[in-house]
Amino acid sequence: MNRSVDRAIDIIELATQNRGGVSLRDILIKTGMPKSSAFDIVRSLVKRNILREIPGKTTLYAPGRQLYFMGNSYPESLPILKILIDRLQETAEATHYNTYAGVLENDELVYAYKYKPKKSILTAAGLGDKKPLHCTALGKVLVSFQKPDECRRLIASLPLSRLTNYTITDREEFSREIQECFDRGYALDIRENDDHTFCVSAPVLNNEGVAEMAVSLSYIYSENISLEKEIKIIRDIAHELSQTLGYSGPRPGKKQGEE
């Protein structure tokens, strides 16, 4: 990659990782690039509205409006999401649950789409946010429905960090969980990623039966909640989308007599 382009990307990533903004000094320390080069790149990014200046004793640089527009166009660039958006929005408004689509990138879950309905009281993950695979329903589905060799690699190599008391951190237990997700055709995250939430997810499969992405419903955890309705909703959406990708096999985890 061209060095200037590489440096510009490094600066943009720093700005997006520090919501309050990042100073030129911080950019120099964290990237190691020469001051003159960093300053020229920052000025160009500000001029194009990819970054914006936050005046103060020390000038800070934060994501600009053009970067926001570019980020929001990401879902539209994935053909499957053009079909997906209406279903996720419709479902979210009907259930008051947050809905998401996630993809697997560099052994992490990346949120490619999210919709928070008007009546939701749950904080929504942002577009492009990253989460671990092992403690999210979306992530577990994405691992479960990879090709066998890739699935085994992920099970063996993912760091199983503890986020809550319910997070799976034992590798054998994680392996069993992934097999169960595959067998039943969906994944659950019951307070594994956050103490106060649950999530139900199902895979969107391509014509090879590999998860192209995953979709999910999420809401505040309650001890009395029954997830049968939520599981059916998200599996129906995922299966419909899988068919649009050319998947013609049986519904994942399909039970005998189920259509």
Side-chain angles (χ1 to χ4, degrees):
M1 184 182 291
N2 179 278
R3 177 179 289 185
S4 295
V5 174
D6 208 13
R7 287 173 169 174
I9 292 172
D10 286 342
I11 292 171
I12 292 169
E13 287 182 342
L14 281 175
T16 58
Q17 291 165 5
N18 296 271
R19 295 189 178 184
V22 62
S23 68
L24 183 62
R25 182 174 181 273
D26 287 336
I27 291 171
L28 298 178
I29 292 172
K30 293 179 180 179
T31 65
M33 68 180 69
K35 183 176 181 179
S36 59
S37 298
F39 183 77
D40 288 345
I41 293 171
V42 166
R43 295 309 305 162
S44 295
L45 293 172
V46 169
K47 185 176 180 180
R48 298 291 296 272
N49 293 311
I50 292 174
L51 295 183
R52 61 185 174 88
E53 290 184 341
I54 302 176
K57 186 175 181 180
T58 299
T59 301
L60 299 177
Y61 300 94
R65 65 175 184 273
Q66 188 60 31
L67 189 60
Y68 173 79
F69 294 142
M70 291 164 67
N72 274 349
S73 71
Y74 175 61
E76 298 295 336
S77 71
L78 297 175
I80 187 62
L81 281 182
K82 293 180 180 179
I83 303 168
L84 177 64
I85 286 171
D86 285 346
R87 288 300 309 274
L88 288 187
Q89 290 186 358
E90 173 187 301
T91 300
E93 292 296 347
T95 62
H96 309 316
Y97 293 174
N98 290 358
T99 54
Y100 299 97
V103 295
L104 176 62
E105 287 187 7
N106 299 321
D107 292 356
E108 290 182 299
L109 162 66
V110 178
Y111 288 94
Y113 181 77
K114 58 100 176 182
Y115 186 80
K116 181 179 179 180
K118 296 174 184 177
K119 294 186 178 181
S120 173
I121 58 175
L122 183 66
T123 301
L127 286 178
D129 282 358
K130 298 178 181 180
K131 290 287 182 71
L133 294 168
H134 71 290
C135 59
T136 54
L138 286 165
K140 287 190 278 188
V141 160
L142 290 168
V143 173
S144 300
F145 288 88
Q146 295 302 305
K147 290 184 177 180
D149 286 348
E150 177 64 3
C151 181
R152 285 192 289 268
R153 183 191 72 79
L154 289 167
I155 291 172
S157 63
L158 288 176
L160 304 181
S161 304
R162 182 178 297 281
L163 274 71
T164 75
N165 289 333
Y166 303 93
T167 305
I168 296 174
T169 58
D170 178 80
R171 204 160 297 278
E172 289 187 7
E173 183 181 356
F174 180 58
S175 180
R176 290 193 297 270
E177 174 74 3
I178 293 303
Q179 184 62 53
E180 288 179 13
C181 293
F182 181 82
D183 290 343
R184 66 193 180 200
Y186 64 89
L188 300 174
D189 155 21
I190 308 295
R191 305 170 72 186
E192 295 175 49
N193 177 61
D194 181 283
D195 276 318
H196 308 292
T197 62
F198 76 86
C199 187
V200 181
S201 179
V204 178
L205 305 177
N206 60 24
N207 59 0
E208 296 182 340
V210 174
E212 192 83 8
M213 66 173 62
V215 290
S216 71
L217 295 171
S218 183
Y219 200 63
I220 295 173
Y221 172 76
S222 168
E223 290 186 1
N224 299 321
I225 193 167
S226 172
L227 296 177
E228 287 186 20
K229 177 182 176 182
E230 288 78 5
I231 290 168
K232 183 180 186 308
I233 289 171
I234 207 64
R235 290 185 71 204
D236 285 348
I237 293 173
H239 189 57
E240 177 185 346
L241 292 165
S242 296
Q243 290 176 322
T244 69
L245 285 180
Y247 176 72
S248 58
R251 183 190 297 253
K254 180 178 178 182
K255 298 178 182 178
Q256 189 172 4
E258 183 182 66
E259 296 183 1

